Amino acid sequence: MTPKAVYVHVPFCEQICHYCDFNKFFLKNQPIDDYLDDCETEMKWTAQRFPSTTVNSVYVGGGTPTSLSTEQLRKLLVSIREHFSLAKRDSLEFTVEVNPGSADQDKLNMLKEVGVNRLSIGVQTFEPDLLNRIGRDHQPEDVKDTVKKSRNAGIDNLSIDLMFGLPQQTIRQFEDTIDQAMKLNIDHVSAYSLKVEAKTVFYQLQRKGKLSLPSQDTEADMYEMLIRKLSESGFSMYEISNFAKPGRESVHNLTYWDNEEYYGIGAGAHSYMSGVRRQNHGPLPKYMKAIKQGKLPYLEEHPVPLKEKMEEEMFMGLRKRSGVSVSRFARRYGQPVVNVFGDKIKRLKENCLLQERNDRIFLTEKGRLLGNEVFEQFLLDD
Ligand code: SF4
């Protein structure tokens, strides 16, 4: 098994959103060119140390990759092509994250030129007040403009990110956001409920009692509405938070849910290579210092024992609507899934949280709503 995917992290943003706990830094005065040189060095050393047969997907995320200048971004994308054994253009999924309004026509044309064929656009909501409340600096019209320019550039595989459960967000507002999203005629939607994470503006507000969030019931109603409305518009929910038109499922994200290995390049990036999960240094000075000293920039390395691999196969596989393949499990881990998780699967089936059919174990509708409670059942005792 060799890595099938490359993730590259661009940790710069032009604004810092109030909910965000990603590894990111305010763009101004950052050593961007030096960082990009270091990323290229990391790619070179990584590809030499962990050669791969063929990489099927590249995902450049952040941060905001399009906060780089056209030339900086081109350099980064070209180095990915140089250092990894990418599949041919027509069988490679090559995604770049784009913030609405952050990419002009030239930048989008350049993306197409270097082989990018999919964009993930950070929309979050179409409600101007809400955009403001969550700290985004784009307007709803910027989304339409970015979609139009992407298509002008010849990139037509478009995904958008939405959020729900936002401060003071009503069901009606979320419904309107979904309706507006559907008018864009895009191919893929990722929709996540807000989680208030430590070290964010929202976390501080919540501690002071100044964050008013929709109730859990309202949030559950939003999620159910999302599933219903997207399925009425021809999307199928192929993972708990991801919806696609036929054939437009994200190859890159499926690498994670299929528990496959992947490269991770850049500050704070995670990777999984040769059976070891790694995390890179997050702060730029630490990441860049490691590279300057001739070392791969790992903060942590964790060889994944068999027990953990099997647990992960279940947690991540069950996120997919298609669930976990019984025959694949046996092939990968040398034993049938019932030998390892038989009791748990039986109990979850009795509680109508899991179902098994045609070689697949998957969540029921009820199981999907109680996902985390199901996943934790698959933690094995030491
Ligand atoms: S959500 Fe995206 S754009 Fe906003 S601060 Fe985080 S990484 Fe930057």
Side-chain angles (χ1 to χ4, degrees), residues 13 15-17 19-20 22 24 62-64 99 136:
C13 290
Q15 96 283 351
I16 302 298
C17 305
Y19 54 87
C20 179
F22 298 147
K24 81 291 167 185
T64 310
N99 273 356
R136 302 288 302 202

Side-chain angles (χ1 to χ4, degrees), residues 315-339:
F315 304 149
M316 293 194 277
L318 287 173
R319 294 190 62 89
K320 295 176 294 174
R321 176 171 245 171
S322 60
V324 171
S325 157
V326 172
S327 54
R328 183 177 187 266
F329 187 100
R331 255 193 332 272
R332 293 189 110 195
Y333 307 110
Q335 53 198 315
V337 66
V338 284
N339 285 15

Side-chain angles (χ1 to χ4, degrees), residues 190-212:
S190 301
Y192 293 94
S193 63
L194 174 72
K195 298 274 170 295
V196 178
E197 307 283 0
K199 298 191 196 147
T200 62
V201 172
F202 279 168
Y203 184 76
Q204 298 303 336
L205 287 174
Q206 193 172 51
R207 279 183 41 170
K208 291 180 197 152
K210 289 187 180 163
L211 191 69
S212 155

